Amino acid sequence: MTPLAADGRLSLIGLDQAALERVMAGLGVAERQTRLRARQLVHWLYHRGAATFEAMTTLPSELRDALAARFSVARPEIVAQQHSSDGTHKWLLRFADGNEVETVFIPEEDRGALCVSTQVGCTLACSFCHTGTMPLVRNLGAAEIVAQMLVARDLLAEWPSGRDGRRFTNVVVMGMGEPLFNYDATVAALRLALDESGLNLSRRRITVSTSGVVPRIEQLGSDLGVGLAISLHAVRDELRDVLVPINRKWNIAALLAACQRYPARRPITFEYVMLQGVNDSDADARELVRLLRPIPAKVNLIPFNPWPGAPYACSSNNRIRAFARIVEAAGHASPVRTPRGRDILAACGQLRTESVRRRTRLASAA
């Protein structure tokens, strides 16, 4: 079931060709025409970015009227836009039920990555992550995940989606939530992002980040074959149990075994947040090298991004560089991620919305 738009109509965003064919049939379109009309809708929704049915000029006017009466292609409400001094954009998006997520666009000189959320809140409670201070409110549907990409194209004025010189070139599923705990919706949304007749992103331009939902990792490789990033952050189970509590269910050994089975087209990225005096010693770096020896791997060292009430501090620049030298000497690329959007709380681990507070207030009022 597609989610209701704010005015009560069902949204067509998030539906693929087959689902749109069923919509056409339900509207009484002749069987010989359903495939053509659905293909046209895919083109308008995901390649041209039409935000109204009126704009879909290759569809007959009667069909556009019938669609508009029952369905919507409206975007989520943009509640707030923030722009960092480093060029990063953060958008607070509100869905029809009032829940909100944050979506971040990070521009580079020759490309740009959209950091997409898959849940309102999160179940993981990673102790260094601001989103982890929120309980899970709900999963996003495929429509709501795809809608974040459409909003980015809208705001960057980059329709049609296949044009040269565009800034939005990559999707990183690293926003709010654990995507592999919302597996079906995440995969459905990314299939639309990969569709050559739609958003037309390549597999090498999409990366899914997980904290270690081991049973889904190999399946993701089989279903999509996109880039994989692992939020590792510790090299000993006793510490990772605290930093990334999902480790108590699937420990480091199980996680790395799943990574070895992943059908990677490029090295797996291991994300490692640098916490002063916690996980940043030379001994930690050497153990990380040992653990990753059998895996084609790249290590992203992430300076800890502070947030109000955070219990950690960031490692010093000298400590981070020393850690990186050990990892690089073992043959693993180990770039230090430049923090982006810190001044607007848009950097890694800083995303959080007020959805849970709103829900609590509404429950209390009732």
Side-chain angles (χ1 to χ4, degrees), residues 81-355:
Q81 301 186 55
Q82 292 177 275
H83 305 290
S84 169
S85 58
D86 63 26
T88 299
H89 302 256
K90 184 170 77 169
W91 303 307
L92 178 64
L93 305 181
R94 180 177 296 155
F95 299 110
D97 66 353
N99 279 306
E100 299 168 347
V101 298
E102 292 184 320
T103 305
V104 176
F105 177 70
I106 306 168
E108 302 287 353
E109 186 173 334
D110 58 347
R111 60 190 175 90
L114 186 71
C115 186
V116 172
S117 295
T118 55
Q119 296 179 311
V120 182
C122 190
T123 61
L124 297 179
C126 297
S127 60
F128 58 86
C129 179
H130 201 197
T131 310
T133 64
M134 292 179 66
L136 178 67
V137 178
R138 67 171 177 84
N139 286 332
L140 296 185
E144 294 163 324
I145 298 170
V146 171
Q148 295 171 69
M149 304 179 206
L150 304 189
V151 166
R153 285 258 189 267
D154 291 344
L155 295 176
L156 296 170
E158 292 193 350
W159 298 106
S161 62
R163 76 181 201 180
D164 294 333
R166 60 187 178 182
R167 289 183 289 165
F168 170 15
T169 59
N170 294 53
V171 168
V172 288
V173 189
M174 298 181 183
M176 297 170 60
E178 166 52 65
L180 299 192
F181 276 154
N182 187 16
Y183 187 84
D184 291 342
T186 297
V187 168
L190 293 180
R191 287 193 196 281
L192 290 170
L194 290 165
D195 190 335
E196 291 181 359
S197 61
L199 285 161
N200 194 29
L201 294 170
S202 72
R203 280 175 174 76
R204 65 187 180 87
R205 297 285 192 173
I206 296 177
T207 299
V208 174
S209 177
T210 177
S211 292
V213 184
V214 165
R216 292 293 197 180
I217 288 175
E218 192 171 1
Q219 184 180 359
L220 178 71
S222 175
D223 286 344
L224 290 181
V226 296
L228 177 66
I230 301 294
S231 292
L232 187 62
H233 308 306
V235 294
R236 303 182 308 279
D237 281 326
E238 59 271 24
L239 176 58
R240 196 166 189 267
D241 285 350
V242 174
L243 297 181
V244 189
I246 196 175
N247 194 72
R248 299 167 193 165
K249 185 172 182 67
W250 295 293
N251 64 15
I252 292 173
L255 175 57
L256 296 182
C259 290
Q260 286 184 262
R261 296 189 297 270
Y262 192 79
R265 291 171 169 84
R266 61 185 190 269
I268 294 172
T269 298
F270 287 85
E271 298 162 328
Y272 197 96
V273 64
M274 299 298 293
L275 304 173
Q276 185 178 56
V278 176
N279 64 350
D280 63 350
S281 70
D282 286 355
D284 289 317
R286 288 190 289 269
E287 178 62 7
L288 179 60
V289 166
R290 188 190 71 79
L291 290 173
L292 298 184
R293 194 169 292 139
I295 302 170
K298 168 187 173 182
V299 178
N300 266 356
L301 298 181
I302 306 171
F304 173 67
N305 295 303
W307 40 269
Y312 301 106
C314 183
S315 305
S316 69
N317 289 337
N318 286 342
R319 179 89 298 270
I320 295 173
R321 285 195 293 268
F323 194 103
R325 282 195 295 271
I326 293 171
V327 177
E328 289 169 350
H332 298 296
S334 185
V336 178
R337 185 182 296 177
T338 302
R340 300 291 300 273
R342 271 183 171 176
D343 55 333
I344 57 171
L345 291 180
C348 180
Q350 291 185 317
L351 303 186
R352 194 184 195 282
T353 72
E354 299 299 310
S355 288

